[in-house]
Amino acid sequence: MRRKPGALLPLEHAICATAVKLRRRGTKEFHGYNIAKQIAHDADRRLLTAYGTLYRALGRLEQMGLLVSRREDPEIAARENRPGRRLYALTAEGEKAARTATTTVRGATPRRARRRTALA
Amino acid sequence: MRRRLRQLALGSVRAWTRLYTWRLKPELRQARREQVESDLWESQRDPDAIGTGALHILVRLLAGVPDDLGWRLEQENTMAGHVKLRMAIMALVAVLAAVLVAISSTLWQPPLPDVPPPARTAGIGYLPAPPPPPPAPGGGGGIRFSYGETSYIVSGSMKPPVKVKDVRPIYPPIAEMYELRGTVVLEATVDESGRVVSARVVRSIPVLDHAAINAVRQWEFQPSLVGGGPVRHVITVTARFGLAKGA
């Protein structure tokens, strides 16, 4: 299945749109669990996005230039006695993509696209 | 039983992540493992978490296996055929094991009332919350940390690189309060520019591992030259917490 140039998969679109919402609420940076929880909450679902699906999508968005990431300051993690986070932020291109992206994937039947959205 | 199944499920996620990141470049491997570990930690300690049970964890694991394998193939397109076959077999075994745990969690577990997740300010894991610390004498503000002591060696006959930026590991206050002491051993990779690009635990003390890794990842070394060119080093780091010098 080929990705149409400029198109985002449903999960990728959801990540960008949710990042825009978080930014409007004052949260400029987010980590994987954070965005997965917010996406599930907005879609009124009881299941978070799968680990592999989520982090692959975040990596793809970063490669496409729609997100940037950085490793959290290790001192903050050490102080809170928890693993360090990788923090993502939406770029200007990402914000534009969240508003204008189509969510169709060339070659996918509507049923396959629905199943892909359900798994995301 | 419920707690044990959840621990098994968490262990399955960690084992699968180690498996599909096996033999990748250290930076990629470390980054993905840290992301998943952070996700597991956050989900288990979030008081508003949507799902923390074994079944939820396993569904998140299984549904993402195709993407994990796809990501793996994207990172290293030149894997040999026999390695791909081995990866596929290991993936099948991991998926079957996860399915067995999922089935056992639904068949053997009677319905239990929902137990609220531990409060964020509770102690480590399932330890009871510690008593509040006594007020600092003189009413001084801020938190005072204790620190661990570190040393490092290079295996083989190479001269150890010279450290130019040292960061001491913070002795986590909760570990100090419970008198959790010991030595964590890490293996860290220093790249050609002198930065630590990966660190893995060789000898683990669960609460202290993160403190050691977080400090070592900030170290910087002078680039070492061998034959006119900068080289990478693999160093063994010992981080001692709560022990007297020389212990």
Side-chain angles (χ1 to χ4, degrees):
Chain A
M1 197 184 335
R2 287 208 174 177
R3 181 194 290 261
K4 197 174 169 182
L8 295 179
L9 295 174
L11 173 62
E12 293 164 358
H13 186 253
I15 290 172
C16 292
T18 306
V20 168
K21 273 187 216 170
L22 286 173
R23 197 147 84 171
R24 282 193 195 133
R25 283 185 220 155
T27 305
K28 288 182 186 169
E29 289 183 312
F30 57 89
H31 52 88
Y33 174 72
N34 202 347
I35 199 83
K37 185 179 162 192
Q38 193 62 46
I39 289 171
H41 178 267
D42 291 347
D44 200 24
R45 281 192 287 122
R46 297 286 300 169
L47 186 61
L48 299 182
T49 309
Y51 305 109
T53 312
L54 173 69
Y55 293 107
R56 192 184 188 191
L58 287 169
R60 272 211 183 122
L61 289 170
E62 193 176 356
Q63 278 177 349
M64 289 161 72
L66 306 185
L67 294 179
V68 289
S69 76
R70 68 176 181 92
R71 203 165 171 271
E72 182 188 37
D73 184 354
E75 284 217 7
I76 298 174
R79 204 169 289 132
E80 296 180 15
N81 196 29
R82 56 167 173 75
R85 294 168 177 161
R86 176 153 287 275
L87 299 173
Y88 293 88
L90 199 63
T91 61
E93 289 81 14
E95 193 159 356
K96 192 175 159 190
R99 282 196 295 267
T100 60
T102 57
T103 56
T104 54
V105 178
R106 184 189 292 166
T109 62
R111 187 178 168 192
R112 230 179 277 159
R114 276 202 301 278
R115 191 187 306 156
R116 198 178 176 100
T117 308
L119 280 175
Chain B
M1 181 68 172
R2 199 181 193 184
R3 185 191 298 179
R4 186 181 286 183
L5 284 170
R6 186 165 54 230
Q7 292 301 321
L8 270 176
L10 293 170
S12 299
V13 175
R14 292 187 179 108
W16 170 240
T17 307
R18 277 197 293 275
L19 183 62
Y20 77 81
T21 57
W22 176 59
R23 292 185 78 175
L24 277 182
K25 288 181 190 167
E27 312 84 67
L28 293 172
R29 183 174 65 221
Q30 191 77 11
R32 176 52 71 96
R33 289 179 185 181
E34 284 176 357
Q35 277 188 312
V36 171
E37 188 61 40
S38 172
D39 194 312
L40 293 177
W41 194 95
E42 301 285 346
S43 64
Q44 293 302 302
R45 282 157 184 83
D46 179 5
D48 303 319
I50 290 176
T52 55
L55 196 56
H56 186 266
I57 294 167
L58 288 171
V59 170
R60 282 192 78 193
L61 164 63
L62 293 174
V65 163
D67 280 301
D68 287 328
L69 292 175
W71 175 82
R72 166 76 202 220
L73 290 174
E74 282 167 10
Q75 304 315 309
E76 197 167 354
N77 286 327
T78 55
M79 271 200 300
H82 70 278
V83 177
K84 284 183 188 171
L85 177 62
R86 204 187 307 170
M87 287 288 298
I89 291 170
M90 284 174 162
L92 188 60
V93 169
V95 166
L96 284 173
V99 166
L100 282 172
V101 173
I103 290 171
S104 63
S105 76
T106 50
L107 288 179
W108 294 343
Q109 179 183 342
L112 292 170
D114 275 339
V115 176
R120 287 188 81 104
T121 54
I124 314 156
Y126 298 95
L127 289 172
I143 301 172
R144 283 196 171 177
F145 292 109
S146 300
Y147 294 89
E149 299 297 325
T150 57
S151 58
Y152 64 95
I153 56 168
V154 171
S155 55
S157 57
M158 285 187 75
K159 207 171 146 193
V162 174
K163 199 195 302 181
V164 295
K165 178 184 171 192
D166 181 44
V167 175
R168 294 168 70 195
I170 295 175
Y171 190 5
I174 202 79
E176 194 176 12
M177 201 171 292
Y178 282 105
E179 295 184 0
L180 190 65
R181 304 184 184 113
T183 302
V184 173
V185 179
L186 306 176
E187 191 177 83
T189 304
V190 181
D191 70 3
E192 291 84 349
S193 62
R195 283 177 304 162
V196 176
V197 293
S198 72
R200 72 174 187 96
V201 177
V202 173
R203 180 180 161 190
S204 164
I205 300 176
V207 175
L208 304 176
D209 290 347
H210 296 307
I213 289 175
N214 287 337
V216 168
R217 288 292 299 257
Q218 297 179 78
W219 289 0
E220 288 177 17
F221 295 83
Q222 243 175 38
S224 302
L225 298 175
V226 173
V231 292
R232 290 187 152 223
H233 287 281
V234 175
I235 59 174
T236 302
V237 180
T238 307
R240 291 179 297 279
F241 295 89
L243 299 171
K245 261 193 176 173

